[in-house]
Amino acid sequence: MLKIALVATALAGVVSAAPASAGPLRWSACPGSPVLQCSKVTVPLDYRHPDGRKIDVAVSRLSAAKPEKRRGVLLMNPGGPGVAGLRAPTAQPFPQAVRDSYDIVSFDPRGVGASAGLTCNLTDAQRTAAANPPYPHNPADVAKSAELAKQIAKQCTTSDTADLLPFITTANTARDMDRIREALGVSKVSYYGESYGTYLGAVYTTLFPERSDRVVLDSSLPPEGYDVEALRAQALGFELRFPDFARYAAAKDQQYHLGATPAAVTAKYYELADRLERKPESGFDGTAFRGFTSGEIRNDASFKELATYWHLLDTHQPLPGTAAAKEDSDRGTFPVGYLGVLCGDSQWPTSVRTYQRNVETDRVRYPMYGAYTANIRACAYWPAPAEPKVRITSGGPADVLMVQNLRDPATPLPGALRTRWAFGGRARMVTADQGGHVAYGAGANACLNDAATAYLVDGKFPARDRFCPAERS
């Protein structure tokens, strides 16, 4: 009981301690961008000791296109975790009305990029395996992955930046966001976050409900964030989303020759994965094939590229680029920061046998991808989280708009519905009958897009949850 009391007291101090002034921001041109401005905000490493060690958080700003229409600041996070955010304001496909109305501000989260970036001194192979361990065919494969995960964790927890690890959490990043708000000189900020950024936004508006204005959460994680169960849920998301690609490829069988029916395209997936597992081609093995497919089905616009690569692999032709190199590059930019948050936020199972059981269970439940997402990660050998998670609740004003695709492969609808339930009267949810990860702007559903834009620009908060039917071209 004493231990619980001490933890509760420490957490109360974290949340309620009066922040030291972050000071005004000094802006200068961001390297490589003609329109973005960059600055930094100095924040406590440990918010339990706000006068102790400090770190700098790198911040960027895209000023409102029409200053006369500017209504405030829209803080954003592009997801991840572990993804740098400085270039996000120009990369995000916000409609012009949003760009006219807001200074769009983003940042490299703590532990990432220019914000006290973590280092684990990983080899290229370790960087690839850090977030994407090899596909396990049997319990022995899980045990091999465990040895690799243990070594990655050891290098991270003994590296030059290991002292940062206890403080690389979503809650602390949310506290950094409030320091950014303060430094911007505004009493409230609006927020847009996608994927992992939804959990960050949920934590921020839970910790600081009186300081959030209009909050849009796009493609939401469950209320517990990105933990072992959220990762396993991506196998369900894959199974729900893949039929969209299978229908696309089947309709173009004369071009790609992957199968004239969705069932035949699905069979081709297993055939290619098995063949590449036995004999990799063009730098592609079974793990890379599954991971690349998982990434490409997140967006309808990527279906053409995915079908092309499948066709080239199926006919033993060289890949342009190659896709394997593209996948490795995408993964290689973030895995250390990814692990910092993924492992620092949640307590993961520590028994190898637990992962072996999970792999065999999910291989049956979700045969296309389940064994892959259930495999062991370095989080199994990470230090225990420094503080309990922030519990998402209904406490606060009704200012959270959730937008969600019906068939999201990365943050499936069931987890998003649980977050919607946790917010209670604070939230409204707009769900569109479309597939893909990230709904607003990236999708073609005008009903959903218009609802999000109307809220951000005009403050039109839906009276109730809404379902948007599919829009046929």
Side-chain angles (χ1 to χ4, degrees):
M1 292 296 293
L2 176 59
K3 181 178 180 181
I4 294 174
L6 289 174
V7 169
T9 301
L11 285 176
V14 170
V15 175
S16 62
S21 175
L25 292 174
R26 297 181 179 180
W27 297 102
S28 60
C30 290
S33 173
V35 294
L36 285 175
Q37 296 174 299
C38 281
S39 188
K40 64 181 181 180
V41 176
T42 301
V43 302
L45 175 62
D46 182 355
Y47 278 88
R48 295 168 299 184
H49 304 286
D51 295 325
R53 181 180 172 186
K54 304 294 195 297
I55 60 172
D56 289 333
V57 173
V59 182
S60 64
R61 177 179 69 180
L62 179 65
S63 297
K66 293 186 177 180
E68 69 277 10
K69 291 187 175 182
R70 180 186 179 277
R71 71 163 307 273
V73 171
L74 179 64
L75 193 59
M76 66 166 295
N77 179 273
V83 172
L86 287 183
R87 298 189 180 277
T90 54
Q92 186 64 33
F94 289 121
Q96 191 59 47
V98 174
R99 296 188 178 278
D100 291 344
S101 303
Y102 289 95
D103 290 343
I104 302 175
V105 175
S106 189
F107 59 101
D108 283 358
R110 58 168 55 204
V112 176
S115 299
L118 297 172
T119 60
C120 293
N121 303 316
L122 301 179
T123 65
D124 289 344
Q126 287 174 324
R127 290 175 67 82
T128 297
N132 299 275
Y135 182 85
H137 294 275
N138 49 52
D141 286 348
V142 178
K144 291 178 183 177
S145 291
E147 292 303 312
L148 179 58
K150 184 184 296 185
Q151 182 59 38
I152 291 171
K154 180 179 179 180
Q155 287 178 217
C156 288
T157 55
T158 58
S159 73
D160 292 342
T161 58
D163 57 334
L164 301 176
L165 290 179
F167 312 106
I168 307 300
T169 64
T170 299
N172 278 330
T173 301
R175 294 166 185 135
D176 294 342
M177 287 168 53
D178 203 54
R179 291 300 182 96
I180 294 172
R181 174 204 60 79
E182 181 188 16
L184 291 167
V186 294
S187 59
K188 291 185 176 184
V189 288
S190 292
Y191 178 81
Y192 171 81
E194 60 189 41
S195 193
Y196 162 75
T198 62
Y199 180 57
L200 177 59
V203 170
Y204 178 80
T205 198
T206 297
L207 290 177
F208 307 102
E210 73 285 0
R211 298 172 191 167
S212 59
D213 188 7
R214 299 172 184 175
V215 177
V216 176
L217 306 182
D218 186 343
S219 307
S220 287
L221 281 166
E224 299 83 18
Y226 199 174
D227 60 7
V228 64
E229 294 303 325
L231 181 59
R232 292 177 70 187
Q234 290 184 8
L236 167 64
F238 189 107
E239 302 261 351
L240 295 175
R241 170 60 167 166
F242 185 83
D244 292 342
F245 170 72
R247 284 189 291 270
Y248 170 89
K252 297 179 179 294
D253 182 53
Q254 291 186 349
Q255 180 178 356
Y256 299 115
H257 308 290
L258 299 174
T261 66
V265 175
T266 302
K268 181 63 69 175
Y269 169 84
Y270 290 111
E271 176 189 329
L272 288 172
D274 290 345
R275 194 187 85 201
L276 293 167
E277 199 70 62
R278 293 191 305 271
K279 186 177 180 181
E281 297 178 23
S282 299
F284 243 70
D285 61 11
T287 299
F289 172 76
R290 290 180 177 89
F292 181 69
T293 299
S294 172
E296 295 292 278
I297 65 172
R298 292 185 176 196
N299 192 321
D300 287 359
S302 299
F303 282 180
K304 180 179 180 179
E305 180 184 43
L306 180 59
T308 299
Y309 279 105
W310 274 34
H311 171 70
L312 295 174
L313 287 167
D314 190 40
T315 53
H316 305 277
Q317 299 182 61
L319 303 179
T322 67
K326 175 181 182 294
E327 176 69 5
D328 284 344
S329 174
D330 290 346
R331 293 183 298 196
T333 58
F334 80 99
V336 177
Y338 170 85
L339 288 178
V341 174
L342 196 72
C343 307
D345 267 1
S346 305
Q347 181 68 61
W348 288 63
T350 59
S351 166
V352 175
R353 182 60 188 143
T354 296
Y355 293 96
Q356 290 171 327
R357 286 195 300 266
N358 289 349
V359 163
E360 296 311 312
T361 297
D362 288 3
R363 191 192 312 281
V364 175
R365 289 199 302 170
Y366 311 118
M368 299 191 80
Y369 204 54
Y372 178 77
T373 58
N375 202 6
I376 193 168
R377 266 76 174 171
C379 297
Y381 302 100
W382 218 258
E387 61 172 285
K389 292 182 182 180
V390 174
R391 180 170 174 264
I392 309 303
T393 72
S394 60
D399 60 0
V400 178
L401 178 64
M402 299 174 62
V403 293
Q404 185 78 24
N405 287 335
L406 194 62
R407 298 177 302 282
D408 186 322
T411 53
L413 182 61
L417 288 172
R418 292 181 52 241
T419 296
R420 169 66 184 91
W421 180 87
F423 272 124
R426 289 201 67 184
R428 302 290 185 272
M429 188 169 184
V430 178
T431 306
D433 183 3
Q434 63 183 4
H437 184 51
V438 181
Y440 181 41
N445 192 287
C447 166
L448 181 146
N449 289 338
D450 291 349
T453 300
Y455 179 47
L456 285 173
V457 175
D458 300 317
K460 295 180 179 178
F461 193 62
R464 60 187 64 85
D465 290 359
R466 183 177 181 182
F467 179 76
C468 293
E471 297 186 356
R472 306 300 180 188
S473 57

